[in-house]
Amino acid sequence: MRLTRCQAALAAAITLNLLVLFYVSWLQHQPRHARARAPRRSSAAGPRVTILVREFEAFDNAVPELVDSFLQQDPAQPVVVVADALPYPPLALPRIPNVRLALLQPALDRPAAASRPETYVATEFVALVPDGARAEAPGQLDRMVEALRAGSARLVAAPVATANPARCLALNVSVREWTARYGQVPTASRCDALDGDAVVLLRARDLFNLSAPLARPVGAGLFLQTALRGWAVQLLDLPFAAARQPPLATAHARWKAEREGRTRRAALLHALGIRLVSWEGGRLEWFGCSKETTRCFGTVVGDTPAYLYEGRWTPPCCLRALRETARYVVGVLEAAGVRYWLEGGSLLGAARHGDIIPWDYDVDLGIYLEDVGNCEQLRGAEAGSVVDERGFVWEKAVEGDFFRVQYSESNHLHVDLWPFYPRNGVMTKDTWLDHRQDVEFPEHFLQPLVPLPFAGFVAQAPNNYRRFLELKFGPGVIENPEYPNPALLSLTGSG
């Protein structure tokens, strides 16, 4: 008997339905735990990680190769390339919906959300991938996700097999002291920060809750913020490959990248409030005031610098400049035969810990008025501002009859010199300011003067300086530190 086309189609449909019913019946009779062990393909539920490419140079990069390598592992892989402005030369990125270019610079013709990279991230996790990396082994991102979920670290990382692979570092960030201190870690897999090239994976909500999530250099900015929060990073043994055509292959490109990198790093540290970086081995990097720049804070109102309201103490670069200025001024006074002594808060700092008080913003010295004529710089300051051969500025203060020595013409960190003279055995002066410690005192505190360590050198101080300080500030002042104006702001938090 010959089958018609309709009969053949009907027979095929019946056969297919029988096969589907048989498979469903078989699947329902399988043990649940066997079905649970079946491998889950990320493509079935959609990718769990968005690739963020932020650390690259527009003028010379391997970003197209980087993006292509991840798309070869999963064509649906979300990729967001982040730049401040439209890269030039243009990046040769695939024109597909899951590859996006996010520009951080606002534009008149774009909505605000377009300048926020989180707008383009719909996955639970993000991977920060540096230029020069490429995906070669399948499943690396999935293994990083599982490591993050299984461990206690808030970030996981995998080194990139470049000439500068990642290594673990300890990192302590002190907002109060404007300082970041790097050091060695006891283990090579769990740390506070990384140095070198690595793919870093974390939850998207964690990344975008940071105050500057994608500031460049990405590694420096990211780990300063996460270490401050106590988030550990686990370095995994899952190396990513290096680009086949690595970026910055020429000496000129490397020079340009290093120059721009230094500028970006200095701007980042300044924005995050880091003025001193201490590296393992003791090397120091200073970011802040110099003789060519203005000081790190403005005019002080009510004896309370602005940074105290931010929960910070005097920037370390300012303390360094104050120490340098104080040492220099004392050397000039001693060479000229001008009798001087540590005054006010400077004497208090010397008595308490041999240095400037950590939140002080100037240095105070008392001098004998009759000795002013012995010093060439002070004589010159009587007539007007004098810039000496070292760039320090000697001048009469505008607030009254005393002298001021500034660190430079640009940087007004300074030492104040207060001229006192004896009257009936009491030291007095012609200008009084509304300071608690600005009072007369018996001359016998200066006869004799005694040496006292201060700010890295030995200065002259009143004898029995404890009684001298308690006369000016009150009993127990050495043992009970306080901000200069507790009525405005108190060290104990009650102001």
Side-chain angles (χ1 to χ4, degrees):
M1 181 178 67
R2 188 167 181 169
L3 292 175
T4 65
R5 287 187 178 180
C6 288
Q7 290 172 327
L10 181 61
I14 292 171
T15 303
L16 181 60
N17 283 332
L18 289 172
L19 289 173
V20 170
L21 288 172
F22 175 79
Y23 175 77
V24 171
S25 177
W26 174 84
L27 190 62
Q28 289 176 340
H29 285 81
Q30 297 302 304
R32 280 188 183 176
H33 63 85
R35 294 203 304 269
R37 287 201 307 267
R40 181 180 63 181
R41 293 179 58 85
S42 62
S43 58
R48 296 182 288 175
V49 182
T50 296
I51 300 298
L52 284 180
V53 184
R54 171 63 169 144
E55 196 60 70
F56 67 95
E57 302 294 346
F59 58 84
D60 188 350
N61 62 77
V63 171
E65 181 185 348
L66 182 161
V67 173
D68 182 63
S69 70
F70 281 95
L71 294 178
Q72 286 183 18
Q73 303 298 322
D74 183 357
Q77 172 65 60
V79 178
V80 181
V81 179
V82 183
D84 293 306
L86 188 66
Y88 181 83
L91 293 172
L93 299 176
R95 296 180 179 274
I96 54 177
N98 51 300
V99 177
R100 305 294 298 271
L101 177 63
L103 305 181
L104 301 181
Q105 188 178 71
L108 290 172
D109 58 346
R110 288 189 287 121
S115 301
R116 296 195 293 265
E118 58 266 37
T119 301
Y120 307 100
V121 176
T123 57
E124 181 182 359
F125 303 94
V126 292
L128 299 168
V129 183
D131 191 19
R134 66 188 308 273
E136 208 170 43
Q140 280 179 293
L141 294 178
D142 285 336
R143 290 196 291 275
M144 293 180 74
V145 167
E146 297 311 320
L148 184 64
R149 283 179 166 166
S152 58
R154 294 287 283 268
L155 308 91
V156 296
V160 180
T162 62
N164 186 31
R167 64 187 182 95
C168 262
L169 291 174
L171 172 58
N172 178 268
V173 180
S174 174
V175 172
R176 188 178 69 182
E177 297 175 349
W178 310 70
T179 302
R181 296 180 176 89
Y182 292 88
Q184 296 181 343
V185 289
T187 65
S189 61
R190 187 179 175 90
C191 47
D192 304 309
L194 299 176
D195 180 35
D197 299 325
V199 174
V200 180
L201 184 137
L202 69 163
R203 286 179 172 83
R205 68 170 182 267
D206 283 348
L207 176 66
F208 294 117
N209 275 331
L210 300 176
S211 59
L214 295 176
R216 295 183 68 188
V218 172
L222 176 69
F223 295 123
L224 284 170
Q225 296 172 85
T226 59
L228 181 65
R229 289 160 173 78
W231 299 359
V233 55
Q234 182 181 0
L235 186 59
L236 306 173
D237 187 18
L238 288 172
F240 281 77
R244 293 193 177 97
Q245 294 183 339
L248 311 177
T250 67
H252 178 75
R254 289 191 296 274
W255 168 82
K256 186 174 180 181
E258 289 170 3
R259 183 190 63 180
E260 296 188 3
R262 285 193 299 269
T263 300
R264 280 192 293 265
R265 183 164 175 267
L268 169 69
L269 294 174
H270 189 274
L272 295 180
I274 299 297
R275 297 291 182 269
L276 174 61
V277 176
S278 174
W279 289 100
E280 53 181 336
R283 182 172 65 89
L284 301 179
E285 281 187 288
W286 296 89
F287 298 89
C289 47
S290 68
K291 280 187 176 290
E292 292 72 38
T293 64
T294 58
R295 69 182 185 183
C296 302
F297 56 95
T299 301
V300 176
V301 178
D303 295 330
T304 307
Y307 50 78
L308 288 183
Y309 292 103
E310 301 172 6
R312 296 174 179 267
W313 288 353
T314 307
C317 53
C318 296
L319 292 173
R320 181 180 65 161
L322 283 174
R323 293 185 188 105
E324 182 183 343
T325 307
R327 178 193 290 267
Y328 177 71
V329 170
V330 163
V332 171
L333 296 179
E334 289 180 343
V338 175
R339 290 166 291 174
Y340 76 91
W341 61 93
L342 294 169
E343 261 289 349
S346 298
L347 177 61
L348 183 56
R352 191 176 285 156
H353 49 248
D355 202 352
I356 299 169
I357 293 175
W359 51 83
D360 209 352
Y361 52 89
D362 63 5
V363 170
D364 290 310
L365 299 177
I367 59 174
Y368 270 87
L369 176 61
E370 63 185 280
D371 292 346
V372 167
N374 297 341
C375 178
E376 177 185 354
Q377 289 87 339
L378 292 178
R379 290 197 308 270
E382 293 272 17
S385 181
V386 174
V387 182
D388 67 19
E389 69 279 1
R390 293 277 300 276
F392 294 92
V393 182
W394 299 69
E395 61 187 10
K396 228 18 180 343
V398 296
E399 300 96 320
D401 191 20
F402 62 99
F403 297 94
R404 177 163 288 160
V405 184
Q406 301 192 40
Y407 187 45
S408 73
E409 292 182 278
S410 300
N411 193 323
H412 294 171
L413 289 162
H414 58 265
V415 173
D416 284 336
L417 304 174
W418 301 91
F420 283 83
Y421 55 90
R423 185 172 59 194
N424 300 324
V426 174
M427 297 300 293
T428 188
K429 57 189 175 76
D430 293 331
T431 295
W432 299 95
L433 300 181
D434 188 21
H435 294 162
R436 179 183 176 189
Q437 73 273 18
D438 203 13
V439 296
E440 296 178 333
F441 58 91
E443 188 181 11
H444 67 70
F445 281 110
L446 308 181
Q447 296 175 342
L449 293 166
V450 298
L452 191 63
F454 175 71
F457 62 99
V458 176
Q460 296 297 305
N463 62 72
N464 202 345
Y465 53 79
R466 174 179 287 275
R467 285 186 57 197
F468 183 89
L469 287 168
E470 291 187 343
L471 170 69
K472 295 205 166 202
F473 292 99
V477 66
I478 296 177
E479 293 78 18
N480 300 289
E482 182 53 275
Y483 286 156
N485 193 341
L488 289 178
L489 188 68
S490 173
L491 180 62
T492 59
S494 59

